[in-house]
Amino acid sequence: MSSASPSYGSRPWTFYVLALLFTLFVIFLYGPMLAVLVLSFQGPSASLVFPLRDPSLMWFDELFNPRRTGDVVGAFNRSLPLALVVMVLTVLISVTAGFAFRRRFKGATLIFYTAIASLIVPGLVLSIGTIVTFRYLGLSASWNTSGLGAHLSWALPFGLLIMFAVLGRLNPSYEEAAYDLGASKWQTVKEVVVPIVFPGMIAVALFGFTLSYDEFPRSWLTVGSKNTLPLEIWTMTTNVTSPALYALGTVTTIISFLVIAIALSSILFIQRKRSRGK
Amino acid sequence: MNTMTAKATPDTAAGTRESGEIRLVGVTKKFGNAYAVESIDLTIPHGSYCCLLGPSGCGKTTILRMIAGHETPTSGEIFIGEDMVVGKPPVERGTAMMFQSYALFPHLSILDNVAFYLKMRNVGKEERRGKALEMLERVQLDHLKDRMPAQLSGGQQQRVALARSLITNPKVLLLDEPLSALDEFLRLKMRGELKSLQDELGITFVHVTHTQPEAIALADMVVVMDTGRIDQADNANTIYNRPKTPYVARFMGGQNVLTGTVESNAGGAGTLKSEAGSTFEVKLNDSSATVGSKLSIAVRRDQVTIRRGDEASSVGANSIAGIVEATEYQGSYVKVTLRAEGDEFVANVSDRAFFAEPVETGDPVVATWNPEDIHVLSKVDTGGAGDSYLDGGH
């Protein structure tokens, strides 16, 4: 080794290989999204492929004043409240379940794995199972009953896993310090634990919302006769052959990004406030 | 800390507090089948500074947490003043605990951290912030009242934790390794401040530590623990100079432990002979040391002198021959480690004496002491001898 020339930090060949790999990854990740975004401004030629001719907003107009497309606005008016309800329920249930699991109880591991196992059940199968069960019980499927349940079976285990990670890092001495200073159990939760884990709760909310808002397989048979947004898009891909499809893609992506931006900026805001003071 | 006396303690609780004497009677704590603490009896006098000292896992933190009310004993009774406190919450006990990690609430400003106790008692916002500010003035951090805990240094965080504990007006302050998270300089500074704070408040402090110098420097009462049991509870001077057992002598450091068989015992003047044949003269106060029984003694490292010794035969009484294993310069003295009769033996030689006649690693030397510096231990050392059947005779 003594004969080796000294190195001043020149990059090994693996750096370039991995950089190339990463570039490809980023192109693959955002390329399709960009293509859809650009083509949603297609002109009256109504071509579904590049190049972009006579850019216009006509397909966005088509989306909100449907003549040939399906009921996009109606689907959105179902998807948004459904996603919000799933979000609220996921936060409530994951947080309280997370607290319950902090103190080890009998059968905790079994219950945990039972809750997590629904993650590996294929969504389409779960969708079929739900509708079959509802029919057997004489209930009719609807987005706000069977649809909601199917979405929760997907969002809850994620929420629970996140809460486990968040509460696992919570030093128990915070709770003991609160107890030491005369706080009741409820005061400890309200004044100490919830404020400390609040960024984690926002993360759970974000997951609950986006998992429901984007969900296709578990919605397939469970939402009844009225479609949610992903189902509506899928229907359109088979019926509609106009750039209105791209316009819809652009709008839904923007909504998803907005939700993520709001969630992340509120987490950042809380953390800044804590590290900088008032 | 000169502003300390300027402000009176806010009498948020009962006003004048009764005795902060802590009494543990037959306290046992089991985790599963393992004993963390086994049948402990201990009385910590009101207004004393008590250090619970021992290696990690000895049960010292468990005792502290049981006094605080964060752990419930499996059996036994804990009294604070006249009250049996087992089952009571900390505020009713009159205890306040300072956590090792300080556990300052990260989402609250320093002022609101200190005011937390008052908020839990539904004291109005203006009043509790006023009192919290007074408390922050006492620890000289009032200028940082709007900062968040993450913005403070370790030493500042500790002062906030102190202020937050003291605002409950406790009669007992419990400190779980309070200095372990600080660097050496701050540790010594805060050590002094803790001591003067305790002097000033006059309440009972119980301080858990695994650092011997910390315990000796601070405590009126040092409790040395070993795997769930108390080996010795005494004042610092006694613990250091007159350890009861070989364990305490070794754990406190500064002592060499030697073991021998009693050769003669004539009216208190006895002679011991080690396995390797060295003889030690000892004063035997109790007559239980009969000829032929084994006995362990301790001699302080700084009361040993060494000289070069070429022949083992020249070794007289009250001395031991060995080979120098290491020399370590400590400034005012030199720590000379010998391998003597199969064991480690340490002499702390003053730097003047050492450099007058220096020794090096590998040199054969003889270590000598005065028989009056010998201290007889109440238990026979079983560290290496393996004569376990001789142990526990007292």
Side-chain angles (χ1 to χ4, degrees):
Chain A
M1 288 309 284
S2 57
S3 63
S5 59
S7 162
Y8 295 99
S10 67
R11 285 171 165 149
W13 62 271
T14 46
F15 171 82
Y16 297 100
V17 173
L18 292 173
L20 180 71
L21 206 66
F22 181 71
T23 312
L24 286 175
F25 170 71
V26 169
I27 290 172
F28 206 79
L29 207 59
Y30 292 99
M33 223 185 282
L34 278 174
V36 166
L37 179 78
V38 170
L39 286 175
S40 63
F41 295 99
Q42 187 64 281
S45 69
S47 167
L48 284 171
V49 290
F50 282 108
L52 183 70
R53 288 198 192 94
D54 311 322
S56 80
L57 292 171
M58 63 180 292
W59 303 110
F60 290 93
D61 180 56
E62 168 77 15
L63 203 61
F64 294 103
N65 305 291
R67 284 176 291 272
R68 284 177 294 163
T69 53
D71 182 17
V72 174
V73 177
F76 177 74
N77 284 341
R78 283 181 288 276
S79 265
L80 186 68
L82 178 60
L84 289 174
V85 170
V86 169
M87 177 180 94
V88 171
L89 287 178
T90 305
V91 171
L92 277 180
I93 298 173
S94 322
V95 171
T96 44
F99 286 153
F101 277 96
R102 284 210 93 191
R103 32 184 76 216
R104 305 301 301 169
F105 56 89
K106 224 175 183 179
T109 318
L110 183 72
I111 291 176
F112 174 69
Y113 283 116
T114 313
I116 297 304
S118 80
L119 284 180
I120 56 162
V121 177
L124 292 171
V125 174
L126 190 124
S127 204
I128 297 168
T130 309
I131 194 66
V132 166
T133 312
F134 262 63
R135 292 247 169 89
Y136 178 73
L137 295 172
L139 301 166
S140 61
S142 165
W143 63 272
N144 52 13
T145 54
S146 50
L148 175 64
H151 281 200
L152 281 176
S153 77
W154 183 229
L156 269 183
F158 277 104
L160 203 57
L161 283 175
I162 296 173
M163 254 0 257
F164 269 43
V166 169
L167 291 174
R169 282 190 314 183
L170 179 71
N171 188 341
S173 55
Y174 289 128
E175 285 150 285
E176 287 177 355
Y179 179 56
D180 209 70
L181 295 166
S184 66
K185 289 258 152 58
W186 170 239
Q187 281 175 318
T188 303
V189 169
K190 185 162 112 359
E191 303 284 344
V192 175
V193 179
V194 166
I196 291 177
V197 302
F198 196 67
M201 287 164 68
I202 293 177
V204 172
L206 179 66
F207 263 83
F209 184 89
T210 51
L211 286 176
S212 164
Y213 184 70
D214 287 344
E215 180 59 12
F216 178 83
R218 284 169 181 76
S219 308
W220 177 42
L221 294 171
T222 58
V223 297
S225 53
K226 307 265 174 124
N227 280 344
T228 55
L229 206 52
L231 292 181
E232 194 63 32
I233 296 172
W234 182 66
T235 315
M236 281 171 72
T237 56
T238 55
N239 299 336
V240 182
T241 47
S242 76
L245 195 63
Y246 299 143
L248 178 60
T250 301
V251 171
T252 50
T253 308
I254 286 171
I255 290 173
S256 290
F257 269 110
L258 270 180
V259 170
I260 294 171
I262 290 169
L264 290 184
S265 50
S266 45
I267 293 177
L268 267 179
F269 175 74
I270 292 166
Q271 284 174 343
R272 274 220 185 144
K273 203 178 138 197
R274 279 182 200 173
S275 61
R276 244 192 224 163
K278 286 167 219 161
Chain B
M1 298 241 123
N2 45 3
T3 55
M4 285 258 166
T5 44
K7 304 281 177 188
T9 309
D11 48 349
T12 47
T16 49
R17 282 285 196 177
E18 65 274 35
S19 167
E21 180 193 76
I22 304 167
R23 211 148 45 86
L24 282 77
V25 184
V27 171
T28 294
K29 177 67 185 178
K30 280 166 93 172
F31 292 111
N33 283 326
Y35 284 93
V37 168
E38 200 173 350
S39 192
I40 291 250
D41 293 300
L42 177 67
T43 302
I44 301 169
H46 167 72
S48 60
Y49 200 124
C50 171
C51 277
L52 300 178
L53 176 66
S56 56
C58 71
K60 58 192 192 298
T61 300
T62 306
I63 291 183
L64 192 81
R65 290 172 56 82
M66 286 193 291
I67 298 171
H70 294 302
E71 211 81 71
T72 311
T74 309
S75 62
E77 292 174 309
I78 299 171
F79 295 88
I80 295 175
E82 297 299 310
D83 304 332
M84 219 294 269
V85 296
V86 174
K88 283 188 180 176
V91 171
E92 277 180 45
R93 294 174 184 226
T95 59
M97 180 149 161
M98 215 178 87
F99 292 83
Q100 188 173 5
S101 57
Y102 309 140
L104 297 177
F105 305 131
H107 59 294
L108 296 179
S109 71
I110 286 169
L111 190 66
D112 285 338
N113 258 286
V114 177
F116 188 85
Y117 164 77
L118 299 173
K119 189 180 183 189
M120 294 305 107
R121 295 171 77 85
N122 297 316
V123 176
K125 196 172 198 169
E126 291 308 311
E127 189 189 347
R128 68 171 187 255
R129 286 199 164 159
K131 284 190 170 157
L133 191 61
E134 279 176 27
M135 196 48 84
L136 277 178
E137 279 166 15
R138 291 185 56 157
V139 295
Q140 297 165 338
L141 284 177
D142 44 315
H143 58 294
L144 299 177
K145 66 183 170 64
D146 291 327
R147 294 269 185 96
M148 303 307 267
Q151 296 170 281
L152 300 191
S153 70
Q156 290 169 332
Q157 288 186 18
Q158 198 201 35
R159 283 157 182 247
V160 176
L162 258 179
R164 191 178 65 172
S165 299
L166 291 177
I167 206 165
T168 67
N169 193 20
K171 40 186 179 175
V172 176
L173 184 65
L174 304 161
L175 307 117
D176 187 8
E177 310 233 2
L179 305 173
S180 63
L182 306 176
D183 64 51
E184 188 63 24
F185 173 76
L186 260 179
R187 184 153 48 230
L188 294 179
K189 184 164 158 7
M190 288 311 294
R191 190 167 90 182
E193 289 189 11
L194 280 178
K195 181 73 178 165
S196 57
L197 185 66
Q198 194 267 339
D199 281 346
E200 196 173 320
L201 294 171
I203 62 174
T204 312
F205 274 38
V206 184
H207 173 137
V208 160
T209 179
H210 57 256
T211 316
Q212 296 86 340
E214 197 171 301
I216 289 180
L218 283 170
D220 305 317
M221 178 184 191
V222 179
V223 178
V224 184
M225 293 198 56
D226 174 23
T227 57
R229 288 175 294 105
I230 292 175
D231 255 55
Q232 193 172 357
D234 256 315
N235 64 50
N237 188 284
T238 309
I239 290 274
Y240 189 73
N241 282 314
R242 310 197 68 79
K244 257 191 206 157
T245 63
Y247 170 80
V248 176
R250 289 227 165 86
F251 187 71
M252 294 310 294
Q255 302 267 0
N256 291 297
V257 178
L258 298 163
T259 303
T261 311
V262 178
E263 289 264 286
S264 65
N265 183 0
T271 317
L272 294 188
K273 200 173 187 78
S274 76
E275 272 179 28
S278 306
T279 51
F280 318 128
E281 291 167 356
V282 292
K283 274 206 186 83
L284 295 168
N285 291 328
D286 71 277
S287 50
S288 69
T290 50
V291 173
S293 68
K294 286 215 168 188
L295 203 62
S296 282
I297 57 172
V299 59
R300 262 170 61 169
R301 290 174 176 180
D302 56 346
Q303 285 163 345
V304 175
T305 55
I306 58 169
R307 60 177 161 84
R308 284 176 194 279
D310 299 323
E311 307 149 44
S313 59
S314 71
V315 175
N318 306 316
S319 53
I320 192 166
I323 305 290
V324 177
E325 262 192 346
T327 58
E328 215 172 57
Y329 186 50
Q330 304 277 344
S332 59
Y333 66 93
V334 180
K335 180 183 170 190
V336 182
T337 308
L338 315 179
R339 171 90 12 203
E341 305 191 352
D343 263 332
E344 193 177 81
F345 188 96
V346 179
N348 290 345
V349 185
S350 76
D351 63 335
R352 191 174 300 179
F354 181 84
F355 290 112
E357 194 193 349
V359 293
E360 281 171 34
T361 304
D363 286 352
V365 290
V366 175
T368 313
W369 55 88
N370 287 325
E372 53 266 34
D373 292 332
I374 287 290
H375 163 62
V376 180
L377 302 171
S378 68
K379 274 186 184 174
V380 174
D381 187 23
T382 52
D387 290 329
S388 56
Y389 66 96
L390 284 170
D391 196 13
H394 298 272

